[in-house]
Amino acid sequence: FVQGFKVGLASYHFVSSGGGGGSEDDGDGGGVGPPVAYISYENPLCSLWPPLDDGRPVFPRVHFDRTSWDEPGRTFRGVVDWEGRYGASWRGEGRWRYEIVFDSEYTCVVGGRVF
């Protein structure tokens, strides 16, 4: 998912658990297991956004934890654990839980929620 046609402007990225994403956190190379996913804040415009609540800038890549994939429902689930993984909340929230539902061609997000 890309907003404003800008990769890295809080864009969602999904990599098979077999790796291929170019980051040391992108899987164990086994090719089996939940998807590796992250939100990219790598676009320079993100530097204008508020910092984490402890004053540090938002990390360029914020990984989802506890990911799962429901293939028949085309639904990704994951948690951004700001406090657990990054040691600080962001905008007063310590954790974001995601459900993202994709269309049948996987070209766009058609539903979901963050709670």
Side-chain angles (χ1 to χ4, degrees):
F1 172 78
V2 176
Q3 62 180 323
F5 301 104
K6 296 186 185 323
V7 173
L9 189 63
S11 53
Y12 303 147
H13 299 262
F14 302 91
V15 181
S16 72
S17 61
S23 168
E24 69 260 17
D25 291 334
D26 283 348
D28 61 5
V32 177
V36 174
Y38 62 92
I39 305 171
S40 172
Y41 295 102
E42 297 171 279
N43 189 289
L45 292 173
C46 294
S47 67
L48 302 174
W49 294 1
L52 296 175
D53 292 341
D54 67 359
R56 290 179 293 157
V58 176
F59 291 85
R61 289 186 178 187
V62 174
H63 287 260
F64 286 97
D65 294 310
R66 298 190 295 279
T67 61
S68 66
W69 174 246
D70 169 16
E71 189 168 347
R74 298 181 314 277
T75 303
F76 168 83
R77 291 180 180 87
V79 174
V80 173
D81 189 356
W82 291 105
E83 291 177 333
R85 187 183 267 256
Y86 301 101
S89 57
W90 192 26
R91 306 192 77 180
E93 296 190 29
R95 182 176 299 121
W96 295 346
R97 291 178 182 85
Y98 276 79
E99 289 181 358
I100 303 172
V101 182
F102 295 91
D103 73 326
S104 61
E105 300 297 317
Y106 298 97
T107 58
C108 62
V109 174
V110 295
R113 61 186 178 149
V114 179
F115 56 102

